[in-house]
Each structure stands twice: as structure tokens, then as C-alpha cells.
Amino acid sequence: TQLLEQSPQFLSIQEGENLTVYCNSSSVFSSLQWYRQEPGEGPVLLVTVVTGGEVKKLKRLTFQFGDARKDSSLHITAAQPGDTGLYLCAGDVVNNNDMRFGAGTRLTVKP
Amino acid sequence: DAGVTQSPTHLIKTRGQQVTLRCSPKSGHDTVSWYQQALGQGPQFIFQYYEEEERQRGNFPDRFSGHQFPNYSSELNVNALLLGDSALYLCASSPQRVGNTIYFGEGSWLTVV
């Protein structure tokens, strides 16, 4: 079983729609990161959230860290085809020394 | 400022062979982690190196081993390759052992035939 569960696994929407993807765990994280990965490339960091309840905005993307630091969400407003990709959440568990990833949400935005 | 660099970018090996993948961390970073990413999956943690020692290890067999050099660069070695070892191998670096920001290289695509 994955330490971090991401949902949905796949998401296909039309350009202009809004969407939310989720990242959940039973573990507490010191921080949680969201990455976007395109085929054949390494993951690219989008944001890091550290404080429980924290909300960060990156243009049309809004990231939220749960109050208990066990979960996070990514909301995209007015999705564009350029948002297509694999969205990965990753967290470093408190008192651990490595970053663990979810399986990802594969987003396709159709023109 | 160069980011994380990995080599080779693509390689094909035969079952039973051995492979060595290389990684140079981002300037100023002393911690290197290796991940295996199968097609359609998220990265799976293999191990992490800090101060030339393996500090943390994921659920991978002993066929997977590594090394970190004094200049912080790192190698991942896989012995007795299996078809299931075919994957994208990602190297990530961070400026401290428990960093909340890690940076990835482009990865090395390994195909085992």
C-alpha cells in the first residue's frame, strides 16, 4: 500500500473546467510537496507546504495542506491543455529522512 | 547553476547483466536520493545517501546498491537485472538530509530485455 493515496487516479476534463485532486495519508508530514511530471521527464516542483492549514496559490493553482498535516489538495481553476500531466504529491514523514510519493493523478485537459 | 544531472539518459540491458547509473547533485546539495518510477506509477524510494553513507533505504532487494563520492555525486548499481527492473530511475538532491525541497534530474530510462 502507498503511504500517500492520490485520487482520482485519472482525470479527463474539457478546457475551462475546474478540478481538484487529493492526497491523503494516515501519517503526519513535516512538509508536503506537489510536482508535475511530463512524459520522459523528471518531476518538477510546483509548491511546498509546511504549516497545517496553509494555503498557497500559484496562478490558477491553489494548494492546501490539511490542519493535521496528513493530507493536501490541489485545485486548478479554468484548466488549460498545458496543465496536462502527472501530478504527484510527496511528503517527508516526521522523524524520517526521505521523501515518499503518491502514485499520482494523470490529468488530461482537452481543447 | 547546473541542476541535477544524470547519465546515461537511455540504455538497454539484457537480463542478468549489471548496470551503473550516475548522478551529479545540484550545486550546494549534499544529499542524494534515488527513485524508481515504473511506467504509469509514482516514484518509489530506493535509498538516500548523505556523507557518503546510505542513510535510509526503501523496500528494494540487495541487488540495488549505491555509492556517494566525496564531491556528493552518486551512483546506483543494479545487479542481476530482471525484466521488472525496466523503469525510469530518478536522482534527486537536497541541501540537507531532511530537506523539504528536493530537485530531480531528468532520469535514466533503463530497458531490460
Side-chain angles (χ1 to χ4, degrees):
Chain A
T1 57
Q2 295 273 154
L3 183 65
L4 284 157
E5 297 290 338
Q6 289 192 244
S7 61
Q9 188 177 358
F10 297 95
L11 186 57
S12 181
I13 61 172
Q14 292 295 133
E15 182 176 2
E17 292 184 2
N18 301 332
L19 67 115
T20 302
V21 298
Y22 300 92
C23 176
N24 296 296
S25 177
S26 57
S27 298
V28 178
F29 296 96
S30 302
S31 67
L32 196 141
Q33 302 181 10
W34 284 92
Y35 293 81
R36 187 165 77 95
Q37 184 178 24
E38 301 200 30
E41 299 182 6
V44 176
L45 179 67
L46 296 174
V47 78
T48 299
V49 286
V50 179
T51 306
E54 182 177 3
V55 177
K56 280 192 174 179
K57 292 191 175 184
L58 183 66
K59 297 184 180 178
R60 294 175 295 101
L61 278 59
T62 302
F63 305 85
Q64 185 161 10
F65 200 13
D67 291 341
R69 306 203 329 265
K70 294 182 178 181
D71 54 82
S72 181
S73 64
L74 159 60
H75 182 79
I76 302 179
T77 304
Q80 299 177 1
D83 296 328
T84 293
L86 178 68
Y87 287 83
L88 296 159
C89 68
D92 58 315
V93 179
V94 172
N95 298 324
N96 209 350
N97 287 332
D98 59 81
M99 189 73 68
R100 302 295 176 118
F101 281 79
T105 292
R106 190 164 297 280
L107 172 66
T108 302
V109 182
K110 300 175 184 177
Chain B
D1 177 22
V4 180
T5 58
Q6 293 186 242
S7 64
T9 54
H10 295 82
L11 71 166
I12 300 174
K13 289 285 189 177
T14 305
R15 273 182 302 175
Q17 283 189 316
Q18 179 265 345
V19 68
T20 297
L21 307 178
R22 296 175 178 82
C23 172
S24 292
K26 184 176 170 64
S27 178
H29 289 187
D30 58 8
T31 302
V32 173
S33 301
W34 286 93
Y35 292 82
Q36 180 196 66
Q37 186 176 24
L39 205 59
Q41 300 295 317
Q44 296 292 318
F45 176 74
I46 303 174
F47 42 52
Q48 182 185 82
Y49 277 85
Y50 173 71
E51 292 186 342
E52 302 179 49
E53 291 186 1
E54 182 184 294
R55 286 297 186 178
Q56 195 81 5
R57 189 178 182 94
N59 189 27
F60 278 81
D62 292 343
R63 297 187 298 110
F64 289 76
S65 63
H67 188 77
Q68 186 179 34
F69 299 94
N71 67 353
Y72 308 123
S73 66
S74 177
E75 289 182 349
L76 165 65
N77 301 292
V78 187
N79 295 323
L81 284 167
L82 304 173
L83 295 179
D85 295 331
S86 296
L88 176 67
Y89 287 85
L90 293 163
C91 172
S93 73
S94 60
Q96 58 189 17
R97 279 171 56 193
V98 186
N100 61 10
T101 300
I102 62 173
Y103 295 87
F104 282 89
E106 295 290 309
S108 293
W109 279 102
L110 171 65
T111 302
V112 183
V113 297

